[in-house]
Amino acid sequence: MSYLDTYSGNWSAIEARHLLKRTSFGVTQALTEESVSLGLSGTISKLFEIKPMPETPLKYEPDGTGRGEINDPDVNYGETWVNAPAYPDLPTSQERNRVFRSRNRSNYAWSFLQMQDAGLSIREKLTLFWHNHFVSENTNPHREFLYMKILRENALGNFKELTKQITIDPNMLIYLSGSQNTNTAPNENYSRELLELFTIGKGDAIGNGDYTNYTENDVVQMAKVLTGWRVRGIAHAEGLVPFFSNWFHTKGSKTLSHRFNNAVISENGENEYKDLIDKIFEQEECSRFITRQLYIWFVNSEITTEIEDNIIEPLAKIIRENDYEIAPALQVLLTSDHFFENTFCMIKSPIDLMFSATKSLLVSAPKTSVQEEYQFALVLYLACTDLNQSIFHHPDVAGWKAYYQAPLYYKSWVNSYLLPKRLDYCRILVTGGDLVIDEKKYTVPPLVPVLQIVAGIQNATNPNILVSELANQLFNYQITNEQIIALKDILIPGLPDVEWTIEYGEYLGNPSDVSVALSVDKKLRGLIAVMVQMSEFQMM
């Protein structure tokens, strides 16, 4: 039997939740039921379905000069700023920077709303994967948005094509000094990361300047190929579009090393970078490199020789056979026996954790106004940033440590400083309270509709069934009898089971009785608040 044989075991809510937790953000009971109804094959088809691009981010802060207001004359409240001038015509740089920061906040909040509202789709999880793979950073919101737009549009597509687009993306050209790479002042920043982090990986050192997959001379020659691409200042009318200057391009052929079979990249002007990327992708190691990254992101951080031979190698072959389309190989992986054997081995990233504590518990951004919707999402962004996962602002070009730094990998998300914060944030999202981030206080109301959640559990008057079913939904596996007893004691401290049966039965019999409803709500909220702080909730 092959590790990649299609999973043929029981298809239930447990298997559906495992797949959905790894491929999306936060799993509601409704999504689980839809997946169970669709079956494994139907769920995969829906996950990989090509959907229209979302509407663009909006100006969510009203006009004015007070706190929580913004003077952005080019955009009306509730309208998108993406098509407005990237360099607002304002009297002072201070005013202009306020607009930039407001649009940044809008972009970050909007990105979280896309993760929240994705439904049965893998696109947002893959968008975040590529964001962590092709790390880029810029303070201009328009450039940030367009960079992420490339990732989202190509998330389910072709790795080679995405690499070509990212190579001349203005955000990337600025971040890794590509726009400063000229024939008279070559800059190797991008060519080095293109090889080491983006396409083929470095491999072990074989000799002086010679690695398993490329040489230092390849870095130099590829930098020459990439010369000539420029970015205008953001105040320029075309400041969001890259352009090629033949004047700054290194002319003539460039010869690569024995690692690339001494290939020659012929002079080809503005298309020369495409020829280079095609040449890099002729190396089979590119397919193995990206397969390992996908495996760590979706399955497990431990890649043994056995995994390399039985998982990485055959999936890499599928990627090569499909000319670097990643969807066919990823679908094989996500439907395999091996995938469904790798459960509870991944510590949730802060983003996964926050959506587990909100979306999975039926909390979503309020739709009462654009301002409230975006502010809710912005608090989630800030909380994740405080937990060391800030979108658009990676710690370095290698991305988040959890996906590359051995031997800790996912354990990087938890330490003596971060773990108490993770637990406290989860609790507050259930009970309500104050999130203090960078010495600023954000008051969170008790938004989790605990009565609604429990209403979906059959025989919830039995506290054993209630606790067990909540555990199945929150942890995705059965807990021990000892844990059930301990959790019941949170619900009905020191009391027999019948006390809960009577009280919850009274509520069901007369839900309009405010005092009974409040009592039941308080008990359930206390129970769920403890459950989201358990170590089981930190895993997926």
Side-chain angles (χ1 to χ4, degrees):
M1 290 183 62
S2 167
Y3 282 63
L4 293 173
D5 284 345
T6 301
Y7 175 75
S8 57
N10 185 41
W11 183 252
S12 69
I14 292 175
E15 290 74 30
R17 274 193 288 261
H18 173 60
L19 176 61
L20 296 179
K21 284 180 179 181
R22 295 292 181 89
T23 56
S24 58
F25 298 99
V27 182
T28 64
Q29 190 64 13
L31 281 175
T32 301
E33 290 171 0
E34 181 182 357
S35 176
V36 170
S37 175
L38 288 169
L40 174 57
S41 177
T43 301
I44 289 292
S45 295
K46 193 78 179 286
L47 282 169
F48 282 84
E49 194 175 90
I50 303 299
K51 296 184 176 181
M53 287 296 110
E55 297 295 323
T56 49
L58 306 176
K59 175 183 175 181
Y60 75 95
E61 294 169 290
D63 292 308
T65 56
R67 183 178 178 138
E69 298 175 331
I70 189 69
N71 176 27
D72 188 350
D74 297 310
V75 190
N76 293 322
Y77 169 78
E79 295 180 355
T80 186
W81 46 265
V82 169
N83 301 319
Y87 190 79
D89 184 14
L90 288 166
T92 67
S93 60
Q94 184 180 18
E95 291 175 90
R96 191 176 301 112
N97 287 334
R98 283 195 70 202
V99 170
F100 287 152
R101 288 193 294 270
S102 173
R103 293 178 183 179
N104 281 137
R105 290 191 292 271
S106 168
N107 195 22
Y108 304 157
W110 176 83
S111 297
F112 269 69
L113 291 174
Q114 303 320 302
M115 293 183 240
Q116 173 190 271
D117 299 334
L120 243 177
S121 173
I122 198 173
R123 184 172 70 191
E124 290 305 314
K125 201 67 172 244
L126 277 170
T127 299
L128 193 66
F129 166 79
W130 291 120
H131 177 44
N132 189 58
H133 184 78
F134 290 110
V135 170
S136 180
E137 184 172 342
N138 196 289
T139 56
N140 182 268
H142 289 260
R143 285 175 174 155
E144 284 188 335
F145 171 77
L146 292 173
Y147 150 75
M148 196 67 96
K149 183 171 182 279
I150 291 173
L151 302 182
R152 185 170 280 108
E153 288 175 342
N154 291 275
L156 283 76
N158 191 283
F159 177 31
K160 189 195 311 184
E161 176 58 30
L162 176 55
T163 304
K164 290 177 181 178
Q165 292 190 33
I166 282 293
T167 295
I168 61 167
D169 168 60
N171 215 55
M172 185 64 80
L173 285 170
I174 294 169
Y175 178 61
L176 288 180
S177 312
S179 60
Q180 299 173 29
N181 182 22
T182 69
N183 50 357
T184 57
N187 189 299
E188 299 166 8
N189 278 3
Y190 184 76
S191 62
R192 186 173 301 282
E193 307 305 356
L194 176 65
L195 289 167
E196 183 174 347
L197 296 177
F198 297 164
T199 60
I200 198 169
K202 195 172 189 177
D204 296 329
I206 306 300
N208 187 25
D210 185 10
Y211 313 108
T212 308
N213 299 321
Y214 63 87
T215 70
E216 282 296 320
N217 187 58
D218 290 321
V219 173
V220 173
Q221 295 303 312
M222 291 183 185
K224 293 178 180 179
V225 171
L226 297 167
T227 52
W229 284 98
R230 314 286 283 167
V231 180
R232 297 177 178 89
I234 198 64
H236 194 282
E238 295 185 352
L240 299 176
V241 182
F243 70 99
F244 180 78
S245 170
N246 197 50
W247 177 265
F248 288 108
H249 179 62
T250 303
K251 308 300 188 297
S253 298
K254 293 85 179 174
T255 303
L256 304 183
S257 75
H258 61 291
R259 297 295 177 196
F260 294 91
N261 299 314
N262 301 308
V264 175
I265 307 296
S266 300
E267 171 62 37
N268 198 13
E270 63 182 336
N271 291 311
E272 199 171 315
Y273 78 98
K274 297 179 183 178
D275 298 337
L276 170 62
I277 290 169
D278 285 338
K279 183 57 62 178
I280 294 172
F281 275 80
E282 287 178 9
Q283 301 295 103
E284 291 189 356
E285 187 59 29
C286 288
S287 61
R288 300 185 188 99
F289 180 76
I290 197 61
T291 301
R292 293 184 197 107
Q293 306 306 309
L294 290 165
Y295 184 86
I296 292 170
W297 187 263
F298 286 104
V299 185
N300 201 324
S301 60
E302 187 177 354
I303 301 180
T304 62
T305 301
E306 191 176 16
I307 296 300
E308 186 73 32
D309 293 342
N310 295 287
I311 300 290
I312 305 302
E313 192 59 51
L315 288 176
K317 185 172 184 288
I318 294 172
I319 287 177
R320 293 195 302 274
E321 289 172 346
N322 287 275
D323 195 26
Y324 284 90
E325 294 287 334
I326 65 155
L330 194 50
Q331 288 172 352
V332 169
L333 176 62
L334 295 175
T335 57
S336 68
D337 280 325
H338 180 74
F339 175 76
F340 287 97
E341 291 168 356
N342 278 266
T343 57
F344 321 119
C345 57
M346 186 182 292
I347 295 174
K348 292 175 182 175
S349 72
I351 291 176
D352 278 309
L353 182 67
M354 288 297 101
F355 281 114
S356 293
T358 55
K359 184 176 169 183
S360 297
L361 290 171
L362 303 184
V363 176
S364 59
K367 303 293 184 180
T368 47
S369 70
V370 172
Q371 186 177 18
E372 289 191 3
E373 182 182 24
Y374 274 57
Q375 283 178 336
F376 173 88
L378 186 65
V379 170
L380 292 184
Y381 160 78
L382 292 170
C384 292
T385 296
D386 199 39
L387 295 174
N388 282 6
Q389 190 178 28
S390 183
I391 59 172
F392 293 100
H393 304 288
H394 287 81
D396 55 52
V397 69
W400 295 305
K401 293 179 181 179
Y403 304 106
Y404 74 86
Q405 191 170 83
L408 289 179
Y409 287 105
Y410 316 133
K411 294 177 184 176
S412 301
W413 295 128
V414 293
N415 56 40
S416 59
Y417 173 75
L418 292 172
L419 182 57
K421 281 178 173 283
R422 287 170 67 102
L423 302 184
D424 201 40
Y425 287 1
C426 288
R427 176 188 62 79
I428 289 172
L429 288 171
V430 176
T431 63
D434 293 332
L435 287 176
V436 180
I437 303 170
D438 288 338
E439 300 181 354
K440 187 174 181 180
K441 185 171 70 175
Y442 300 86
T443 300
V444 178
L447 295 172
V448 175
V450 293
L451 294 172
Q452 182 183 341
I453 291 169
V454 174
I457 297 175
Q458 291 187 349
N459 301 320
T461 52
N462 183 327
N464 297 286
I465 293 175
L466 168 65
V467 170
S468 297
E469 185 52 35
L470 282 174
N472 289 340
Q473 292 184 24
L474 293 175
F475 310 149
N476 206 30
Y477 66 96
Q478 290 186 337
I479 56 177
T480 66
N481 287 331
E482 289 77 10
Q483 286 175 306
I484 291 175
I485 292 170
L487 288 169
K488 275 199 306 180
D489 200 48
I490 302 295
L491 184 70
I492 44 172
L495 299 174
D497 291 1
V498 69
E499 291 295 329
W500 172 255
T501 304
I502 293 171
E503 184 171 7
Y504 190 60
E506 286 180 0
Y507 164 74
L508 292 177
N510 186 14
S512 59
D513 187 320
V514 176
S515 62
V516 174
L518 286 174
S519 176
V520 170
D521 182 282
K522 183 178 179 180
K523 288 181 171 67
L524 290 172
R525 199 169 296 281
L527 170 65
I528 294 174
V530 169
M531 295 181 78
V532 297
Q533 293 179 83
M534 292 170 63
S535 58
E536 287 84 352
F537 189 71
Q538 304 291 315
M539 305 289 293
M540 69 177 185

